[in-house]
């Protein structure tokens, strides 16, 4: 009986610990989350277990930084029935990409065959500013297509980013805002 | 008085079982957390690298194509989750129990080219882009601590020997490609490491090397995949 209870409790604790986010020490920048240790040798055991279940190979600390957003600027869950404007400052990096996934990390099929945006090919105004529109229907300009499933996740990857791998180094980092527009 | 005593006795009799249960739960939880990274069949290493022959460079499928094919799960498409559609991946497995692994790759000077060394449990042990690498070229020798010690010892064995001999000995141990790097008998060449070689001591013997090339646009995949021809992972033997 004790053994069974111990097994059940242990299992429950393990499942609970590995749901949601990869471990501790998240850095939050507006709606964006970053786990700096996920890409370094001092990754914690919980993050390692989480990663093994997830099956991804995230950017190493020397490759760049990847930021995840599941919510908009106001804290509402991202929903592809709505339109979003993504604009503002970006961290200093050699190149960055922005990609929309379903919650399981799959790219979302869309008629345009466009799965993400890359900083080098964005349309920008004279001063270098950009506006990205994320929506199901095609938009002129920097359109990030959203798939049919309502829940989605955005990942912003800053390659060769100019930031140290310590938590304090991220405080001055600027990330674009995610503002919800009209919903259908 | 007696019934109170009885109740206390009973409580004391159960206590070890409850404590045992709690400790058992904690132990089981910790074991699960520590074992998952190596045992989980879903891990990147177990799905993509574990069955690769040593020395072979594999190219996972283009994530965008998998999406178009309407694959309903990552496992079905052979892809990996949260793939950057602009990044083309290549990987090779290492197992240093049989000897060091030499990794070579060359960037085209335009596209971002990143190399990361990851342990079998998923720990991203080392990562770098071509900007931090001399001339955008990678020449990394993965070794265990013991192999690193052997290499150092081999170089310190004959201090009285002329430099020529040390260089010759080193070339015997290495593959032919290394010869040009160590040809000039400069003081630097008397060490085991040629100037452009990065010797990396890996804490655990098994893992994989991941190469990431960033396309300039999505349709670039084929061009980027061609970079694979510059990548080689060669198991090396140490002199006994």
């Amino acid at each position: 009986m004790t053994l069974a209870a111990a097994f059940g409790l242990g299992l429950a604790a393990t499942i609970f610990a590995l749901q949601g986010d990869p471990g501790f020490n998240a850095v939050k920048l507006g709606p964006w989350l970053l786990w700096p240790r996920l890409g370094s040798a001092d990754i914690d055991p919980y993050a390692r277990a989480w990663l093994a279940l997830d099956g991804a190979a995230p950017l190493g600390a020397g490759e760049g930084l990847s930021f995840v957003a599941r919510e908009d600027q106001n804290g509402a869950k991202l929903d592809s029935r709505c339109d979003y404007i993504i604009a503002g400052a970006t961290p200093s990096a050699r190149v960055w990409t922005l990609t929309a996934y379903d919650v399981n990390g799959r790219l979302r099929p869309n008629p345009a065959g466009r799965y993400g945006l890359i900083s080098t090919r964005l349309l920008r105004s004279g001063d270098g500013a950009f506006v990205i529109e994320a929506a199901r229907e095609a938009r002129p300009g920097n359109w990030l297509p959203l798939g049919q499933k309502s829940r989605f996740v955005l990942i912003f990857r800053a390659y060769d980013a100019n930031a140290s791998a310590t938590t304090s180094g991220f405080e001055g980092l600027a990330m674009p805002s995610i503002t919800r527009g009209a919903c259908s | 008085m007696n019934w109170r005593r009885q109740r206390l006795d009973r409580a004391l009799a159960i206590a070890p079982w409850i404590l045992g249960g709690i400790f058992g739960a904690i132990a089981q939880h910790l074991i699960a957390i520590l074992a998952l990274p190596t045992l989980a069949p879903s891990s990147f290493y177990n799905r993509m690298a574990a069955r690769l022959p040593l020395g072979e460079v594999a190219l996972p499928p283009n994530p965008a194509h998998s999406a178009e094919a309407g694959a309903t799960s990552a496992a079905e498409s052979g892809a990996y989750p949260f793939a950057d559609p602009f990044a083309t991946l290549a990987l090779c497995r290492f197992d240093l129990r049989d000897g060091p692994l030499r990794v070579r790759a060359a960037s085209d000077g335009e596209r971002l080219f990143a190399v990361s060394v990851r342990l079998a449990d998923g720990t991203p042990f080392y990562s770098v882009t071509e900007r931090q690498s001399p001339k955008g070229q990678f020449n990394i020798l993965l070794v265990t601590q013991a192999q690193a010690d052997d290499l150092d010892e081999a170089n310190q064995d004959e201090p009285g020997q002329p430099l020529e001999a040390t260089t010759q000995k080193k070339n015997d141990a290495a593959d032919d490609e290394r010869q040009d790097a160590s040809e000039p008998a400069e003081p630097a060449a008397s060490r085991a490491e040629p100037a452009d070689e990065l010797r990396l001591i890996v804490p655990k013997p098994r893992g994989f090397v991941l190469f990431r090339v960033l396309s300039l646009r999505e349709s670039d995949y084929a061009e980027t995949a061609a970079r694979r021809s510059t990548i080689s992972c060669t198991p090396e033997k140490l002199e006994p």
Side-chain angles (χ1 to χ4, degrees):
Chain A
M1 223 277 283
T2 308
L3 262 177
F7 186 78
L9 256 168
L11 196 68
T14 308
I15 292 169
F16 178 76
L18 296 179
Q19 269 174 351
D21 293 335
F24 315 105
N25 303 92
V27 177
K28 197 165 173 15
L29 294 157
W32 300 97
L33 291 167
L34 165 74
W35 289 271
R37 293 235 212 113
L38 206 57
S40 72
D42 56 352
I43 180 172
D44 68 74
Y46 283 92
R48 207 160 21 213
W50 180 90
L51 206 59
L53 291 179
D54 193 54
L59 290 186
E63 297 181 89
L65 303 169
S66 59
F67 300 84
V68 180
R70 300 196 193 91
E71 296 171 351
D72 67 13
Q73 211 63 21
N74 295 324
K77 288 254 179 267
L78 295 177
D79 188 331
S80 69
R81 287 169 294 190
C82 304
D83 302 347
Y84 293 90
I85 301 281
I86 300 153
T90 54
S92 91
R94 181 160 144 208
V95 55
W96 55 260
T97 64
L98 178 69
T99 315
Y101 300 92
D102 69 14
V103 288
N104 295 318
R106 288 187 301 263
L107 294 170
R108 306 162 70 92
N110 65 80
R114 182 188 283 195
Y115 296 96
L117 296 169
I118 187 161
S119 59
T120 49
R121 294 184 65 81
L122 280 186
L123 299 169
R124 295 171 189 260
S125 63
D127 58 355
F130 65 89
V131 173
I132 293 168
E133 282 192 77
R136 277 181 180 165
E137 311 302 330
R139 294 297 144 93
N142 302 313
W143 172 45
L144 180 65
L146 300 178
Q148 291 308 306
K149 278 192 192 157
S150 68
R151 283 264 177 277
F152 71 98
V153 178
L154 290 173
I155 296 194
F156 181 103
R157 292 184 175 89
Y159 289 92
D160 253 348
N162 261 334
S164 63
T166 57
T167 312
S168 57
F170 298 106
E171 270 155 21
L173 226 56
M175 286 295 291
S177 62
I178 307 170
T179 316
R180 191 161 89 173
C183 296
S184 58
Chain B
M1 228 32 203
N2 208 17
W3 61 268
R4 227 182 232 179
R5 177 74 194 269
Q6 269 179 354
R7 210 160 64 173
L8 191 67
D9 280 350
R10 216 177 299 154
L12 281 174
I14 302 171
W17 293 100
I18 292 175
L19 274 176
I22 291 170
F23 280 120
I26 292 170
Q28 199 252 345
H29 170 67
L30 291 180
I31 290 167
I33 291 292
L34 294 176
L36 259 173
T38 31
L39 297 183
S42 56
S43 81
F44 194 93
Y45 176 83
N46 284 338
R47 285 195 41 222
M48 305 301 219
R51 282 177 295 278
L52 268 182
L54 280 180
E56 190 173 313
V57 180
L59 201 65
N62 184 346
H65 288 171
S66 308
E68 274 158 23
T72 50
S73 71
E76 187 184 311
S77 63
Y80 48 96
F82 296 105
D84 188 337
F86 293 98
T88 304
L89 262 52
L91 61 108
C92 67
R93 185 170 72 90
F94 65 81
D95 189 340
L96 305 180
R97 286 173 298 189
D98 298 331
L101 185 86
R102 168 143 342 249
V103 178
R104 282 178 184 275
S107 73
D108 64 0
E110 187 183 14
R111 295 176 182 81
L112 184 140
F113 195 131
V115 174
S116 57
V117 178
R118 292 157 195 260
L119 306 181
D121 66 7
T123 304
F125 169 68
Y126 173 82
S127 55
V128 69
T129 65
E130 97 281 1
R131 283 264 169 105
Q132 288 109 49
S133 230
K135 295 182 207 145
Q137 313 270 316
F138 298 94
N139 177 13
I140 307 174
L141 186 69
L142 302 182
V143 290
T144 62
Q145 183 65 57
Q147 287 159 357
D149 293 346
D150 286 352
L151 282 170
D152 285 340
E153 217 170 275
N155 279 279
Q156 285 164 4
D157 263 355
E158 303 118 18
Q161 295 273 332
L163 273 177
E164 285 286 324
T166 323
T167 313
Q168 190 54 47
K169 183 178 171 163
K170 184 162 41 115
N171 286 340
D172 290 344
D175 61 333
D176 297 339
E177 286 170 30
R178 210 162 114 180
Q179 236 157 3
D180 53 321
S182 52
E183 212 133 50
E186 298 164 347
S190 68
R191 304 206 333 262
E193 269 178 274
D196 72 331
E197 180 192 285
L198 173 73
R199 194 194 290 168
L200 210 58
I201 298 171
V202 185
K204 286 181 186 166
R206 290 181 312 123
F208 63 104
V209 184
L210 190 65
F211 307 87
R212 216 187 287 265
V213 185
L214 209 59
S215 313
L216 302 174
R217 52 186 179 277
E218 278 167 286
S219 57
D220 223 11
Y221 181 80
E223 252 174 88
T224 314
R227 280 281 105 198
R228 175 168 69 153
S229 61
T230 73
I231 301 173
S232 70
C233 297
T234 322
E236 291 192 353
K237 286 271 175 268
L238 282 182
E239 264 180 59

